[in-house]
Amino acid sequence: MRAALAILWDSFRLLQARKLFWFALGISVLVALFYASIGFNAKGMTLFFGAKTMENPLLQEGKPEAAAFYVMIFTDVIVKLWLAWVAVVLALLSTASIFPDFISEGSIGIALSKPVGRLRLFLLKYFGGLMFVALQVTVFTTIVFVALGMRVGEWNLTVFWAVPVITFVFSLLYCMAVWIGIWTRSTLFALLGAFMMWGTALLVQWGEEGLYEISHFNPEAGVTVDFRSGTRSEGESREKDPEMVAMHRNIERAVLPLPKTRDATNYLKRLVRMKERDSLLSGVTLDDLLKGELPDPKKAAAMKRLENRHSAAYVFGTSALFEVVILSLAAWIFCRRDY
Amino acid sequence: MRERPAVEIEFLKKRYGKFVALDGVALSVPRGTVFGLLGPNGAGKSTLVKSLLTIIRPTECRGSLLDKSIGDRKTLARVGYLPEHARFPDYLTGREVIRYSAGLAGVPGRIAKERAEALVGTVGMGDWGDKKVGTYSKGMKQRIGLAQALVNEPEIVFLDEPTDGVDPEGRIEIRKLIEAMREQGRTVFVNSHLLGEVEQVADEVAILSRGKVIRSGKVRDLTAGSRMFEIRSLGPVPPEIRGKLETAGLEVAGDRITVPAADAGEVQGVIDALRAAGVVIRELKEVRQSLEELFLSAVSSARQEGGKP
Ligand SMILES: Nc1ncnc2c1ncn2[C@@H]1O[C@H](COP(=O)(O)OP(=O)(O)O)[C@@H](O)[C@H]1O
Ligand SMILES: [Mg+2]
């Protein structure tokens, strides 16, 4: 217990000493404040605490669409761009060196010569690294929670799902950095490994979503895309092409062993619940709302199916399995090595 | 009843792949003494200590550490360790390094705080305890390293090349700290390739070369085995008497005559002969072979043996 405290406290001191940590936290607060500055009046949406007004027929003070939209800015824009992307990059840059430093000659001996088992040491150090993101997201989400309560009057605790989900997304990449870092003792390789895994996972997830759109969404919503001119036209629903459907099924299987970083981030939208949104704005995109028009029900339904196409088991279960496998490899090397 | 030794290695072997780093070492460290493990770089000293502390996994190991079999995790709570080329997190202060080590060893927070306070003073870092380790000189880091090794009030302390990279003044202080540990009843196990230093503090030593213990015992006994006396005359020894002495097997060089003898009685005959020839004796002293000479001769003879096919 004391050993656990000592290690977590050491991790905390390490983060505190990182300039990037404060930099990231600073930007986090700015982004959260920008979010808090978005409001609604009788004409439309206002930015920077009312300094600028953007007229919109749907997003007006007191309208349930406005409240739902406000949550959507969080789940669709801020979480995706800032928390799951920039904040995770910064966190990886700051934490990739934790294990290579920890196992360096002259440093690891102190910890290993203590009455603490190696596996415990490894796990504690690992969880210490996750603190970086967990702390950042907690600060961020707290501001968002307050903003949401003040702006639209809904004190919605489900926004705090962002903390475990984003930390989990980060952990999927961090476990890679830990494994490579322990294996090669090099921070650089650790980073490269994590980014390569991330890149691969992203590409495949994009591919899967793209194929879903072509094989399921477009026929359901009646969207036709002319690939030569790039124009989209909307019409009646049509039959799905079985070959495309099969292709999508195959790529979905191929993604199975990979970490679902993007899908997990997207899943957050389903976890952050609002009283109104599910019925009112189900399948409505941010674009629709910004344009101030609601899509036809057929398209909204197709969009909703697209958003909900993966189960929690698919998104989190397989990712967790990936993490367990990578961590086991890392722990195995860590526990068996001669230092 | 006699206490069991603090460390008793019956058999210790460590292979890195094909390379044999420790080739069946046996040694024993009595409690409450300062023990020096000597040997050239690459002899396997660090490997031996790391084997005792579970930092590496020995290929084969029989023996005990503080009455428990080697490798027992709980025992490590009663052990202190300063690694070779010790590195501490730059972002911690000296005091924090000590408290971190205390935490890992399971020392309760309040006690750790008190001890850290006392220890920074003991190692002469009172003014620097709240500065970041990143700003320390090598000598300061070693002092903090010694302090963190003592924070759990260990029964035995392992110091791997503690004076490495430390200036002469700092070395003297480290020696004093080692002596103080012995006075507090701790066993101190020092690894070093610097013999002069170990000779001054160690009660017992073992010389390790290429993974084998080639000599071990009390420093006094080891150096006594080759006792000599040295007589110096006023002016060079006259040639006629010099010839006689040399035929008797003594070594004469200018004004110095070296007499191999176990005790002073055996030297008296030589003095009589010199006096009879009218030689004025300026000085008579007992010469012990230094640990360094013993070490060099032991290591080189081990090499020769090892070199034979
Ligand atoms: N992890 C390791 N892998 C392979 N060889 C090693 C390892 N650690 C030490 N050695 C080798 O074992 C020998 C003994 O090393 P060491 O115990 O550090 O010697 P000393 O401390 O006496 O200088 C050296 O030749 C060194 O190269
Ligand atoms: Mg060494």
Side-chain angles (χ1 to χ4, degrees), chain A residues 3-16 98 102 125 128 131, chain B residues 89 91-92 96 100:
Chain A
L5 284 180
I7 290 172
L8 291 179
W9 173 79
D10 170 67
S11 301
F12 181 66
R13 296 284 289 131
L14 177 138
L15 296 183
Q16 269 191 321
I98 290 183
F102 183 54
K125 200 78 187 164
M131 268 200 310
Chain B
Y91 48 84
L92 295 184
E96 286 171 339
Y100 172 64

Side-chain angles (χ1 to χ4, degrees), chain B:
Chain B
M1 199 185 86
R2 270 194 57 185
E3 266 190 318
R4 279 181 69 184
V7 180
E8 180 137 54
I9 304 176
E10 286 162 32
F11 186 86
L12 175 56
K13 183 165 191 150
K14 175 65 195 177
R15 263 198 308 262
Y16 292 113
K18 285 219 166 109
F19 177 77
V20 181
L22 290 175
D23 194 2
V25 168
L27 60 80
S28 151
V29 179
R31 280 189 199 247
T33 62
V34 176
F35 183 90
L37 182 62
L38 307 174
N41 285 324
K45 305 180 295 293
S46 300
T47 303
L48 190 145
V49 167
K50 286 178 183 175
S51 303
L52 297 180
L53 300 177
T54 71
I55 298 166
I56 64 169
R57 309 151 148 262
T59 311
E60 205 182 328
C61 178
R62 289 194 303 277
S64 66
L65 170 65
L66 300 175
D67 298 330
K68 294 274 159 42
S69 68
I70 291 172
D72 178 58
R73 203 154 271 299
K74 283 221 190 79
T75 314
L76 295 175
R78 300 186 281 143
V79 171
Y81 176 47
L82 171 63
E84 187 177 12
H85 310 303
R87 282 180 28 156
F88 304 104
D90 283 350
Y91 48 84
L92 295 184
T93 66
R95 274 193 180 79
E96 286 171 339
V97 165
I98 302 172
R99 290 175 65 182
Y100 172 64
S101 183
L104 286 177
V107 179
R110 199 174 38 78
I111 299 176
K113 194 171 173 200
E114 283 165 17
R115 286 194 194 154
E117 211 51 51
L119 280 167
V120 283
T122 310
V123 298
M125 291 287 291
D127 298 337
W128 282 78
D130 287 327
K131 299 211 168 61
K132 294 266 163 73
V133 174
T135 64
Y136 286 4
S137 70
K138 175 75 192 179
M140 292 168 150
K141 284 182 190 158
Q142 286 301 89
R143 284 164 196 247
I144 287 298
L146 285 169
Q148 65 79 29
L150 293 173
V151 73
N152 53 340
E153 309 244 289
E155 288 167 47
I156 181 166
V157 190
F158 291 89
L159 308 174
D160 198 345
E161 310 276 2
T163 58
D164 197 31
V166 177
D167 61 23
E169 209 180 326
R171 290 176 179 210
I172 293 173
E173 290 205 21
I174 289 181
R175 202 172 73 220
K176 285 190 186 143
L177 286 168
I178 293 176
E179 279 162 357
M181 293 177 204
R182 175 172 51 197
E183 263 153 43
Q184 290 164 344
R186 304 188 209 290
T187 310
V188 188
F189 190 117
V190 188
N191 268 5
S192 184
H193 63 276
L194 300 169
L195 299 135
E197 259 162 42
V198 173
E199 185 169 14
Q200 294 177 50
V201 284
D203 303 299
E204 296 206 10
V205 295
I207 298 177
L208 196 66
S209 170
R210 298 180 168 199
K212 284 191 172 133
V213 174
I214 51 178
R215 283 289 187 85
S216 67
K218 291 202 165 56
V219 176
R220 218 175 328 116
D221 297 344
L222 284 176
T223 52
S226 50
R227 221 190 289 173
M228 310 248 199
F229 287 84
E230 196 176 277
I231 302 168
R232 303 192 92 153
S233 58
L234 192 64
V237 179
E240 63 279 9
I241 185 127
R242 176 179 178 148
K244 268 192 225 160
L245 291 173
E246 278 174 345
T247 47
L250 307 187
E251 196 185 303
V252 184
D255 65 347
R256 198 178 65 218
I257 306 153
T258 314
V259 189
D263 66 79
E266 296 170 30
V267 191
Q268 301 308 316
V270 184
I271 295 174
D272 290 345
L274 288 170
R275 293 292 299 130
V279 176
V280 179
I281 293 171
R282 185 158 61 89
E283 189 187 0
L284 166 67
K285 73 168 185 218
E286 185 183 355
V287 186
R288 279 168 175 264
Q289 187 185 26
S290 72
L291 205 49
E292 184 139 10
E293 285 156 342
L294 174 79
F295 174 79
L296 289 174
S297 66
V299 169
S300 70
S301 68
R303 279 223 179 106
Q304 276 157 13
E305 274 166 39
K308 277 182 204 157

